[in-house]
Amino acid sequence: MYNFLRRPAIDLGRWPERRLELAMRDGSGDRLVAKLHEPAEPRRGLVVLVHGLTGCEDSFYIRVSTQYWLSSGYAVLRLNLRGAGPSRPLCRLHYHAGRSADLRDALESLRALAPQLLNRGIFLVGYSLGANLLIRFLAEEASAFPVVAGACVSAPIDLKAAQRRIMDSRNWIYHRYLLARMREEALAAPVPLSEDERNAIYSAASVYDFDDQVVAPANGFTGADDYYARCSGLRFLSKIVCPTLAVHAENDPWIPAESYRHFDWTANPALSLAMPRAGGHVGFHAQGSDFTWHDQEIGRFFALAAAQ
């Protein structure tokens, strides 16, 4: 709510931007659109920002973080996942919580287009669903790139638990809003939908129904629960080897803190957890600052990782 009631000034016009189209390598012909910003004198590496469910490059939290990282001397890539925002007209397929290969293909395409961007190292930040996708990437794909560190903000690391929490009666307003946005994204696909696909999208009465009737069959899962089980970040955390910071609030209204408490963060030395009492979902507003607490905390973490 704070994001809607008091929005700090965002002026990205101070930094030149380029639109990039990053080809996917699965034979679909899909391309991801990204906005690249580069400081006049970049002092640090490239930060890649991965948005959450129904988000895009223009999501408020992405724009705030972009300004923070540019002000700190990093180049920034605002990536639109497959079928999201400006990527939507260029994609037959759609992102989901486990489609980490898309991030891999985007970075491969970026390396071919602008190899100099990777010279100072890559820093990856994911938000909400994009953070869960990032966890899988860090576990399975990061070794192929000069990834210095990663950070995950409000990741639904147990997708089933997050689905249950979102469908709690206290969250019914957000649940209806989120389902409407998911339906809007699905119906905006540039390829014609079959009658069965349209019926599935319109008939889904909950996030679970949508995942079960739309997301799962479109992506080779037997149903929503199979999708949740195979793509939840909890499965992949133990396999991450590069420095990774997870940021989550105990009072997140949509993602249970219990999902984080049930994992042994000390078992993997590459992982660090910052879980303050308050912060909501991708909130973490810093009193007296236009930059969020999570951006500043991640900034300190990245600086330490780069110095090692």
Side-chain angles (χ1 to χ4, degrees):
M1 291 300 295
Y2 187 88
N3 284 345
F4 288 97
L5 296 174
R6 181 189 176 277
R7 299 196 172 202
I10 304 172
D11 179 16
L12 301 182
R14 291 181 286 158
W15 296 278
E17 68 177 38
R18 279 196 286 159
R19 172 187 159 114
L20 302 177
E21 293 184 5
L22 307 173
M24 299 292 93
R25 304 185 175 213
D26 56 3
S28 65
D30 288 358
R31 288 165 289 158
L32 305 191
V33 173
K35 285 280 182 65
L36 174 65
H37 303 261
E38 295 182 80
E41 297 181 6
R43 306 188 306 275
R44 297 177 175 176
L46 171 69
V47 173
V48 179
L49 304 179
V50 186
H51 63 79
L53 184 60
T54 74
C56 69
E57 65 180 35
D58 285 327
S59 294
F60 177 73
Y61 56 91
I62 294 289
R63 290 172 57 81
V64 169
S65 292
T66 297
Q67 184 160 280
Y68 170 78
W69 293 111
L70 288 169
S71 300
S72 301
Y74 292 85
V76 177
L77 186 78
R78 291 189 279 158
L79 181 66
N80 296 283
L81 293 174
R82 196 185 301 231
S87 293
R88 190 175 302 158
L90 306 180
C91 295
R92 300 173 60 86
L93 304 178
H94 203 271
Y95 68 89
H96 63 72
R99 200 187 278 277
S100 57
D102 287 3
L103 179 55
R104 175 202 65 207
D105 288 354
L107 292 178
E108 286 286 8
S109 294
L110 183 64
R111 178 152 52 189
L113 287 172
Q116 73 282 358
L117 282 173
L118 281 59
N119 290 343
R120 290 186 172 88
I122 303 171
F123 301 82
L124 299 161
V125 185
Y127 305 84
S128 196
L129 180 142
N132 186 85
L133 180 155
L134 176 57
I135 288 171
R136 183 171 188 176
F137 171 86
L138 291 170
E140 297 182 339
E141 311 280 1
S143 61
F145 303 92
V147 176
V148 178
C152 306
V153 183
S154 302
I157 57 175
D158 183 337
L159 292 169
K160 182 63 179 180
Q163 170 257 309
R164 286 173 173 156
R165 176 63 61 82
I166 287 171
M167 291 177 60
D168 278 354
S169 57
R170 74 177 296 276
N171 288 324
W172 73 271
I173 294 177
Y174 176 71
H175 183 205
R176 287 182 60 186
Y177 168 81
L178 181 62
L179 183 59
R181 293 289 303 277
M182 292 167 69
R183 186 178 289 123
E184 179 185 347
E185 274 194 345
L187 291 171
V191 295
L193 299 171
S194 69
E195 184 177 352
D196 286 345
E197 289 171 329
R198 283 189 168 276
N199 288 340
I201 293 167
Y202 280 117
S203 65
S206 68
V207 167
Y208 180 85
D209 289 346
F210 192 94
D211 287 340
D212 196 55
Q213 298 167 200
V214 180
V215 177
N219 294 284
F221 302 107
T222 59
D225 291 320
D226 181 44
Y227 164 48
Y228 299 152
R230 288 165 60 184
C231 294
S232 289
L234 279 171
R235 287 190 58 203
F236 306 101
L237 284 169
S238 62
K239 301 174 186 176
I240 294 175
V241 296
C242 69
T244 300
L245 174 66
V247 180
H248 189 70
E250 290 189 7
N251 71 344
D252 189 310
W254 304 321
I255 299 173
E258 288 76 14
S259 301
Y260 285 76
R261 296 194 187 101
H262 294 162
F263 180 77
D264 182 5
W265 294 88
T266 63
N268 183 345
L271 302 180
S272 298
L273 174 64
M275 194 162 73
R277 181 187 60 80
H281 186 72
V282 193
F284 306 103
H285 305 288
Q287 187 172 8
S289 174
D290 283 343
F291 296 125
T292 65
W293 174 83
H294 70 256
D295 281 331
Q296 297 175 59
E297 191 72 6
I298 295 169
R300 287 187 283 269
F301 183 82
F302 282 178
L304 286 173
Q308 292 177 357

